Amino acid sequence: MSIFSPWPVRNFLVSHPEQLRCLRRTLCATSSRLKVADDANGSSTTKPADAKKPDAKDQPLAPLSRPLGVRQRPTIVMKTRTEKMKDLMDQEARMAQRRHLIKEAGKGYFHDMNMTRKHGGKTWIAPRVLIREDKALYLPNIVGKSLDEGIKKDTTTMCFGRITILAMLGTQISEVHAKGFAEATHTRYSSNPLYQYVQINLQENLLKSFLVKLFSNSLRSTVPPELQSNYLVSSQNMEYVREPLGMTNSKVGYVYLIDENLKIRWGGCADATSKEAQALESCTGVLLKRLEDMEKEKSSAPAEAVMGDPPAASPQSEAPKLG
């Protein structure tokens, strides 16, 4: 069937064969160009059926690339009303809070739960060596009540002058994570007076915090008696220090190695590998050895001052000689 069904147009083209040939060549060229364009667009927009998207689970985790903690040294002194007003008027602090709120607003309610599908919630590989002291940052002050007597304590007072392994807990799986990191190290150094193991059960949700306090008796039965004095139950708001500490997932556990100056020298998260547990043990031993040497130097300094030679008498103090 001809596409020129109307009789006037058909009769005109039949009577003028040259115009008919020119029209046919134009139609053929146009159709061929359209076909080439469709093939090009199809190859650029469509992917082969057998091509697979890269799975995040198959991609290896990167090692910890930055020091963890805050830049300001922690203190137990409460801020005055003037200092709080000054912080509210600080333009940089307000912009940082806005950026944080915008970032948190883009997360869904089940964001942390969905992130556990990728490597079990693990976001970095713990370092094999200590973070340099001049690059390390501080552990913020965290306040809570001890599990044994309910006494209010803070990490700044507890950790100063000692080598501390600090575990941040929030769920039952986080307790398993912390145990995988610290069990071997705690077994080896628990008898050292300069070492301590601190656990913080952090419940920022008011309802969860109330339930933890309500069932504190059952919690005491699961924690060994020798660890209950260093087991703190805290409801402190950690919203603005989670990112500096690397605590991006509230469902997993985090373990930090704190030196005597309250600096974070090592950190691990989620399930511990054998190499990470060995790294924590060796790094703890290095810090303990350094602190023991410093304590020996301090103790030996007064003894040397007492046992040393007496100072020579000045010429003015000598008695005059008789002629």
Side-chain angles (χ1 to χ4, degrees):
M1 181 179 179
S2 176
I3 61 173
F4 305 109
S5 55
W7 289 104
V9 178
R10 186 174 183 179
N11 292 334
F12 173 80
L13 294 176
V14 170
S15 59
H16 299 80
E18 293 183 359
Q19 284 79 359
L20 179 60
R21 286 194 297 269
C22 184
L23 180 60
R24 286 177 177 175
R25 285 195 298 267
T26 303
L27 292 175
C28 292
T30 303
S31 61
S32 61
R33 291 176 182 176
L34 291 174
K35 185 177 181 181
V36 171
D38 292 340
D39 294 341
N41 292 333
S43 61
S44 61
T45 56
T46 60
K47 296 181 179 180
D50 55 347
K52 296 182 179 180
K53 296 182 179 179
D55 192 356
K57 298 180 182 179
D58 300 333
Q59 297 178 359
L61 283 173
L64 182 64
S65 59
R66 63 177 179 87
L68 302 173
V70 296
R71 297 187 179 277
Q72 187 177 4
R73 187 181 181 88
T75 178
I76 59 175
V77 179
M78 300 295 295
K79 289 185 178 181
T80 62
R81 183 175 300 179
T82 304
E83 292 176 344
K84 292 180 179 179
M85 290 298 297
K86 186 177 179 180
D87 293 341
L88 291 176
M89 298 300 294
D90 189 0
Q91 183 68 18
E92 294 183 0
R94 286 189 296 173
M95 292 302 297
Q97 291 181 1
R98 289 178 184 178
R99 289 192 294 267
H100 172 76
L101 292 175
I102 292 173
K103 184 177 180 180
E104 291 297 321
K107 294 181 180 180
Y109 183 78
F110 297 101
H111 176 266
D112 291 348
M113 186 65 67
N114 293 332
M115 291 300 295
T116 57
R117 299 177 182 177
K118 302 176 183 178
H119 304 286
K122 198 177 187 69
T123 52
W124 77 79
I125 299 296
R128 297 183 180 181
V129 295
L130 290 169
I131 300 173
R132 289 174 48 183
E133 186 176 5
D134 57 339
K135 301 293 184 181
L137 302 177
Y138 292 101
L139 173 75
N141 188 40
I142 304 174
V143 181
K145 292 185 178 180
S146 61
L147 186 61
D148 55 350
E149 299 179 359
I151 301 175
K152 188 175 181 180
K153 295 183 177 181
D154 58 87
T155 56
T156 301
T157 305
M158 294 174 63
C159 300
F160 181 74
R162 303 182 69 179
I163 305 302
T164 306
I165 293 181
L166 187 139
M168 299 297 296
L169 313 175
T171 58
Q172 290 185 349
I173 190 64
S174 64
E175 298 178 0
V176 178
H177 294 161
K179 185 178 180 180
F181 276 104
E183 184 176 18
T185 305
H186 179 70
T187 303
R188 181 176 178 181
Y189 298 110
S190 58
S191 59
N192 194 317
L194 298 177
Y195 163 85
Q196 65 177 348
Y197 180 39
V198 177
Q199 302 176 81
I200 299 180
N201 192 330
L202 182 64
Q203 301 294 340
E204 298 175 274
N205 186 287
L206 293 178
L207 179 59
K208 291 183 179 180
S209 177
F210 173 76
L211 292 176
V212 170
K213 293 178 181 178
L214 185 63
F215 296 99
S216 58
N217 290 331
S218 61
L219 185 60
R220 291 190 187 97
S221 62
T222 60
V223 180
E226 63 273 11
L227 297 179
Q228 292 183 8
S229 60
N230 287 344
Y231 191 104
L232 303 184
V233 179
S234 174
S235 59
Q236 182 174 330
N237 185 9
M238 302 282 290
E239 182 178 1
Y240 292 101
V241 296
R242 279 188 172 274
E243 186 67 26
L245 290 175
M247 297 171 53
T248 56
N249 195 327
S250 61
K251 306 301 180 183
V252 302
Y254 294 86
V255 177
Y256 305 99
L257 178 60
I258 316 299
D259 65 5
E260 69 278 7
N261 295 318
L262 305 176
K263 287 189 174 183
I264 300 177
R265 305 296 298 276
W266 189 92
C269 65
D271 290 313
T273 63
S274 58
K275 293 183 179 180
E276 289 178 326
Q278 293 174 4
L280 176 59
E281 185 175 352
S282 62
C283 291
T284 305
V286 170
L287 290 181
L288 285 172
K289 182 66 169 57
R290 293 178 182 176
L291 186 57
E292 288 173 355
D293 294 341
M294 292 174 58
E295 294 293 332
K296 289 180 181 179
E297 291 179 0
K298 291 180 181 179
S299 60
S300 61
E304 291 178 357
V306 173
M307 298 175 61
D309 295 335
S314 60
Q316 292 78 5
S317 62
E318 295 181 357
K321 295 181 180 180
L322 296 177

